[in-house]
């Protein structure tokens, strides 16, 4: 994932091209998989809260950040068209909801990364190796 922060020529070209629906869906699938820690194919409200909290961690904000995280997860479930009635969202609901929001914006790959960062935090746009390191560090810190 990610990679549009570097300024190498090949990466620069990749970052300025417009994101296809397939690329958007692939990025969203990766984010969903990162939230779905138990691999059940659905993300609970609690899993989403934990992911967003870890992804947007800013110790200086305290209680203000808790309200922002709660609001972000509520938006996530609303975007997936659950109307707050269910405690889980499926991968299809998540991808369809966000793809319908992101694709019509005709975003470049860099703009897509920026939007995903705003929506889900840093864990949404880092590469897989960095994500695994962050995940491992969090497990060790929470023991």
């Amino acid at each position: 994932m990610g990679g549009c922060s570097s300024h190498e020529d090949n990466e620069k070209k990749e970052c300025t091209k417009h994101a296809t629906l397939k690329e958007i869906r692939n990025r969203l699938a990766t984010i969903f998989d990162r939230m779905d820690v138990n691999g059940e194919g659905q993300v609970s409200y609690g899993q989403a809260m934990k992911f967003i909290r870890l992804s947007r961690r800013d110790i200086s904000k305290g209680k203000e950040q808790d309200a922002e995280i709660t609001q972000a997860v509520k938006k996530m479930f609303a975007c997936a068209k659950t109307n707050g009635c269910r405690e889980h969202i499926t991968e299809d609901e998540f991808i369809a909801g966000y793809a319908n929001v992101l694709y019509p914006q005709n975003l470049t790959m860099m703009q897509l990364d920026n939007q995903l960062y705003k929506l889900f935090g840093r864990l949404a746009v880092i590469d897989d190796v960095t994500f695994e390191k962050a995940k491992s560090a969090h497990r060790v810190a929470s023991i």
Side-chain angles (χ1 to χ4, degrees), residues 21-80:
L21 183 57
K22 182 177 180 179
E23 289 167 326
I24 292 169
R25 293 178 64 84
N26 287 341
R27 296 268 175 116
L28 291 169
T30 299
I31 294 167
F32 185 88
D33 289 344
R34 290 176 177 183
M35 284 190 289
D36 183 17
V37 292
N38 56 11
E40 292 181 343
Q42 58 185 14
V43 171
S44 70
Y45 191 86
Q47 286 173 312
M49 287 287 291
K50 186 174 182 178
F51 178 84
I52 298 295
R53 183 172 285 119
L54 181 61
S55 193
R56 291 186 176 180
R57 185 174 39 213
D58 183 352
I59 297 170
S60 66
K61 287 190 173 182
K63 295 279 186 194
E64 178 185 328
Q65 186 178 23
D66 287 343
E68 289 175 9
I69 291 167
T70 300
Q71 188 63 26
V73 174
K74 284 181 180 178
K75 283 182 182 179
M76 181 188 305
F77 274 66
C79 190

Side-chain angles (χ1 to χ4, degrees), residues 105-117:
Q105 295 178 41
N106 199 27
L107 302 169
T108 65
M109 293 301 288
M110 183 175 279
Q111 290 169 329
L112 175 62
D113 277 351
N114 289 338
Q115 285 296 318
L116 294 175
Y117 180 85

Side-chain angles (χ1 to χ4, degrees), residues 6-24:
S6 175
H7 295 294
E8 294 180 25
D9 287 340
N10 288 341
E11 275 192 41
K12 200 171 194 179
K13 289 177 188 173
E14 178 69 19
C15 294
T16 57
K17 80 174 190 86
H18 287 278
T20 65
L21 183 57
K22 182 177 180 179
E23 289 167 326
I24 292 169

